[in-house]
Each structure stands twice: as C-alpha cells, then as structure tokens.
C-alpha cells in the first residue's frame, strides 16, 4: 500500500520541477493546502444533504403551497394486474409483438394498451411540488455561494489580473476564505453526485454525472497542487448562471410565465456569454498560456487543462440545448421546458385522457386470465421466452 501511495503522490507528476511536498508543509509563517484537508468534505456533504431535506420540507414546501403549487402527480393508469406485472417484471416499453399478444389476452385494442403503458410511465414522474422544492434548494445554495464568491474575489488581485494566479506558484499561502470556499463547493458537489441517483431522473443524466465527476476532480486536483487561485475563478464563473436557471424553473412551476421567460432569456444570455466567451478567453487563456509563460508545463498541468477542456465541451453541448429551447420558445411564445436540466427521461411522452373502463366481456376475460396466470404465468408473455426484451 505504501508503494501505491508513493506512486500516486509522485512529486514529479503533481508539482513543478524542483518543488517537493516538503516545501509545501505548513509552517508558522504560512499555511498551504494539504490533501487531508479534503476529508472534511465527505461528512459535510452528508450534512448538506440532510440540510437539503429539512429545507425542502419546512421552507420550500410551504413556499410552494403559498404559490398554489399542488402535490398532484401525473394521472394514474387504471389498475390492471397483468399489465402491471409486464411493466414491472419485463419491460416499460413493450414492442409491437408483445402488444398484440396482450391485446388478445386482455381483449383490449393495442392503442388502449399503449396508452396504459404511457400513463404508467408518466405516473413515475415526480410532482411539480417535488420539482419546485428541489429547484428552490439549488437556487438558495447557488445564490449564497455565488454571493460569497463575488464578495471574496473582488478583494483579491487575481480577479483583476489573472497572472497573479501564477506569480510565486506554488508557494501561495492558503487563506481561510479560500479554504472555506473550496470545502463548501466540494461538499455540495459530492452531495449532488450522490443525489443524482435519488433526484428526478433527467434526460441528461449521463452528462450531468460526467459534469459532477469532472467538477469534483477539478476542485480536488486544483486544491491539492495549490492551483486554488484560478480554481476560485472557475467556481464563481460557473455559479453565476446556475442561480438564474433555478429561478426560471421555479417561476415555470409556479406558472408565472412572463417571469419565467424573462429569467430564461437572462440565463441563456449569461450562460452562453460566460461559458463560450468569458471561460475560454479568461480562464483557459490563463491556465494554458499565462501559466505556461510564468510557471511552465509539468505532468499534472496537462491533466488539469484537459479537465478544463472537458468542461468546455460540456458547455458547448448545453449551449446547443439552450439555443434549441430558445428557438422553440420563440415559435411557441413561451418557455415550457428546460432541455438542459429539467426534462425527465419520459418527458417526451404526451399526456393522454383516462382509459375507458373495460367492458363486461373484458372484465370477464381478464378475470379468467388472472386465474389462469397464477399457475401458468400470463400465457408466456411474462416469461420472456417468446418475446425477449429490447435493450
């Protein structure tokens, strides 16, 4: 194990030439970032997750109720034991052959069965109230951390001259403000990474997973090798647009369409200008060129910039989604969905009217097949032998 740790923390990878870890040990005169400082982020991430649950229950939920946001979810599908078993045990998206088999078995037409599966899939969507509470929590945190970042950074020299990020690097002392900023941001993104698997399942789930992993890697990486100055600039720049998108989503859930449209327009302008304009010109310029000139490249420098370029690719992808949403909004006259972060995995399913109750003949046929299925398994439709699932 000691050999693995020695290999991982190889000074020639992490630090510039002629710099060792011993040079960055804390002294009475100066404090430098230490890798063990980040251990605090794990329990703090759990605390943030618990604070979120309390916030959503006792603050966000009453606010939603005050805005007349109901807890009602999508319309529920008509109870049917056979279709429910197919839905839970085999597939949520039956193919044409299975639909025809179920149609004969239940004496229902194929379109009615398709509508049942569509309603059943929509039934798993969270309510508007749940979405509002989640957005209000994120809005509150982003607003706080962005405000803190701006107040802190406006007093620093590297906000106004990015070359200050590299002068005397890596012997730049760690301040209390930087330490607090880093630990809080890292804890929040760790909690987001965990909640990815418990929150609303979105269409861009894999992309967000990559984003959170890249963000956590960048925060950890830049702290360990003391690139904290440029790291604070990256974090503050990214938090700015997130405040507006969460506010726009809350307005959308509260059916304040004019406010939603205004906030989304502001978000789109800020996001695209900051992520496709300011980020490459300001951040990538200093990490790629100014640092090369002042410090020079070394192995971890290449990895750090590779992660920053990965973020730039994600920015381009999300900008495309935002422009697409804006074009739809212009054509329809309102913003109805946020392609970037508010479309669930089944949001392309349209809402359908309630299913008609089965006729007496259908009820009789369903009862008969239910009795048969207890011993024979729905005539083979649940065994998967005749109709294997599509993957």
């Amino acid at each position: 194990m000691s050999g693995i740790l020695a290999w991982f923390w190889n000074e020639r990878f992490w630090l510039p030439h002629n710099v060792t870890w011993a040079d960055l040990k804390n002294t009475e005169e100066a404090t430098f970032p230490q890798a063990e400082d980040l251990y605090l982020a794990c329990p703090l991430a759990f605390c943030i997750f618990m604070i979120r649950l309390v916030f959503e229950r006792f603050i966000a939920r009453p606010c939603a109720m005050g805005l007349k946001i109901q807890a009602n979810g999508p319309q529920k599908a008509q109870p049917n034991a056979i279709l429910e078993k197919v839905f839970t045990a085999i597939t949520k998206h039956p193919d044409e052959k299975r639909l025809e088999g179920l149609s004969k078995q239940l004496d229902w037409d194929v379109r009615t069965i398709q509508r049942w599966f569509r309603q059943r899939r929509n039934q798993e969507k969270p309510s508007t109230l749940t979405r509002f509470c989640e957005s209000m929590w994120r809005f509150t945190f982003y607003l706080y951390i962005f405000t803190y970042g701006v107040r802190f950074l406006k007093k620093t020299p590297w906000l106004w001259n990015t070359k200050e990020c590299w002068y005397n690097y890596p012997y730049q002392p760690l301040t209390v403000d930087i330490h607090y900023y880093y630990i809080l941001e890292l804890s929040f993104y760790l909690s987001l990474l965990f909640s990815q698997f418990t929150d609303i399942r979105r269409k861009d789930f894999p992309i967000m997973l990559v984003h959170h992993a890249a963000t956590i890697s960048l925060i950890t990486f830049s702290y360990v090798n003391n690139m904290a100055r440029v790291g604070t600039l990256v974090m503050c720049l990214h938090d700015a647009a997130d405040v507006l998108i969460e506010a726009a989503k809350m307005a959308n859930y509260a059916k304040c369409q004019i406010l939603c449209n205004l906030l989304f327009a502001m978000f789109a302008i800020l996001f695209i200008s900051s992520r496709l304009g300011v980020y490459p010109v300001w951040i990538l310029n200093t990490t790629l060129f100014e640092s090369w000139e002042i410090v020079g490249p070394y192995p971890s420098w290449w990895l750090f910039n590779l992660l920053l370029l990965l973020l730039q690719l994600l920015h381009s992808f999300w900008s495309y989604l935002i422009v697409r949403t804006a074009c739809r909004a212009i054509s329809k006259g309102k913003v109805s969905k946020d392609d970037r972060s508010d479309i669930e995995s089944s949001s392309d399913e349209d809402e359908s009217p309630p299913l008609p109750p089965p006729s007496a003949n259908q009820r009789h046929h369903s009862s008969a097949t239910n009795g048969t299925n207890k011993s024979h398994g729905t005539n083979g439709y649940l065994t998967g032998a005749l109709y294997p699932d599509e993957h």
Side-chain angles (χ1 to χ4, degrees):
M1 179 60 71
S2 59
I4 295 176
L5 290 176
W7 170 82
F8 181 80
W9 293 110
N10 189 299
E11 294 167 342
R12 298 286 58 82
F13 172 79
W14 288 94
L15 301 174
H17 185 61
N18 291 333
V19 179
T20 67
W21 292 119
D23 297 331
L24 298 178
K25 288 294 184 182
N26 292 334
T27 64
E28 293 182 359
E29 292 78 20
T31 300
F32 300 104
Q34 306 295 316
E36 52 267 25
D37 296 345
L38 300 179
Y39 293 153
L40 179 62
C42 294
L44 191 57
F46 177 76
C47 292
I48 288 177
F49 183 75
M50 298 307 296
I51 291 172
R52 169 192 169 176
L53 297 181
V54 173
F55 178 90
E56 291 183 357
R57 175 65 179 84
F58 296 103
I59 298 178
R61 189 180 181 89
C63 289
M65 294 298 187
L67 293 170
K68 304 294 189 295
I69 297 175
Q70 301 299 319
N72 299 333
Q75 184 178 0
K76 293 187 176 182
Q78 172 188 330
N80 185 286
I82 295 175
L83 296 182
E84 183 66 27
K85 196 169 184 181
V86 173
F87 184 86
T88 56
I90 299 181
T91 178
K92 298 180 180 181
H93 299 270
D95 56 25
E96 185 176 349
K97 201 169 185 180
R98 180 175 276 115
L99 286 171
E100 291 174 357
L102 289 170
S103 176
K104 294 176 182 178
Q105 184 180 358
L106 295 175
D107 197 21
W108 287 15
D109 62 86
V110 171
R111 187 173 181 81
T112 301
I113 296 175
Q114 288 176 324
R115 190 182 306 131
W116 187 95
F117 274 93
R118 183 165 55 246
Q119 289 185 346
R120 183 63 181 83
R121 289 192 296 269
N122 289 339
Q123 189 176 316
E124 296 191 336
K125 290 183 181 180
S127 66
T128 303
L129 177 64
T130 302
R131 300 179 192 179
F132 179 89
C133 292
E134 178 189 322
S135 289
M136 187 171 179
W137 160 250
R138 296 192 183 203
F139 168 80
T140 303
F141 180 85
Y142 287 136
L143 181 61
Y144 166 74
I145 201 67
F146 175 68
T147 303
Y148 175 85
V150 170
R151 293 183 62 187
F152 155 62
L153 284 172
K154 71 181 182 180
K155 297 179 291 185
T156 64
W158 60 87
L159 176 66
W160 314 106
N161 179 12
T162 52
K163 288 186 177 181
E164 292 286 345
C165 294
W166 312 109
Y167 291 148
N168 197 36
Y169 175 83
Y171 304 105
Q172 298 165 343
L174 177 70
T175 66
V176 174
D177 288 325
I178 293 178
H179 180 261
Y180 174 78
Y181 196 18
Y182 257 81
I183 295 298
L184 195 59
E185 285 272 17
L186 180 59
S187 302
F188 179 71
Y189 279 102
L190 283 173
S191 71
L192 284 186
L193 184 65
F194 169 74
S195 62
Q196 274 282 107
F197 302 94
T198 60
D199 279 348
I200 303 164
R201 187 62 174 261
R202 290 183 170 84
K203 196 173 184 178
D204 62 354
F205 173 83
I207 301 297
M208 291 304 296
L209 200 62
V210 172
H211 171 266
H212 294 333
T215 302
I216 291 169
S217 300
L218 273 170
I219 292 174
T220 304
F221 191 94
S222 61
Y223 186 87
V224 169
N225 67 354
N226 205 14
M227 290 184 176
R229 290 187 176 184
V230 72
T232 57
L233 299 180
V234 175
M235 292 189 295
C236 189
L237 180 66
H238 282 73
D239 291 334
D242 291 332
V243 176
L244 289 174
I245 187 58
E246 298 302 336
K249 287 194 284 186
M250 287 192 295
N252 186 39
Y253 300 144
K255 297 182 179 179
C256 301
Q257 198 59 52
I258 295 177
L259 179 59
C260 173
N261 293 346
L262 177 62
L263 289 169
F264 181 80
M266 293 170 60
F267 160 76
I269 294 171
L270 180 59
F271 185 95
I272 294 173
S273 61
S274 63
R275 307 295 176 93
L276 299 187
V278 177
Y279 180 82
V281 172
W282 191 41
I283 301 296
L284 293 182
N285 176 66
T286 190
T287 60
L288 285 169
F289 302 110
E290 291 179 349
S291 65
W292 182 295
E293 177 186 344
I294 298 171
V295 179
Y298 52 98
S300 66
W301 179 94
W302 293 100
L303 180 57
F304 181 66
N305 280 288
L306 182 64
L307 291 172
L308 290 176
L309 290 171
L310 174 60
L311 272 187
Q312 183 61 68
L313 291 177
L314 294 176
H315 295 164
S316 301
F317 173 76
W318 280 316
S319 296
Y320 158 72
L321 294 181
I322 291 168
V323 170
R324 189 176 70 176
T325 300
C327 291
R328 290 177 180 174
I330 292 171
S331 63
K332 294 181 180 179
K334 67 175 183 177
V335 177
S336 58
K337 298 288 184 184
D338 168 23
D339 275 351
R340 172 176 172 265
S341 58
D342 200 40
I343 293 183
E344 289 73 49
S345 57
S346 56
S347 63
D348 53 332
E349 309 289 347
D350 60 320
E351 299 293 336
S352 305
L355 291 177
S359 63
N361 180 50
Q362 288 173 326
R363 285 194 296 268
H364 172 74
H365 188 82
S366 178
S367 300
T369 53
N370 273 333
T372 304
N373 291 338
K374 290 179 181 178
S375 58
H376 298 291
T378 65
N379 296 335
Y381 295 119
L382 295 180
T383 63
L386 295 179
Y387 310 111
D389 280 340
E390 293 180 341
H391 298 285

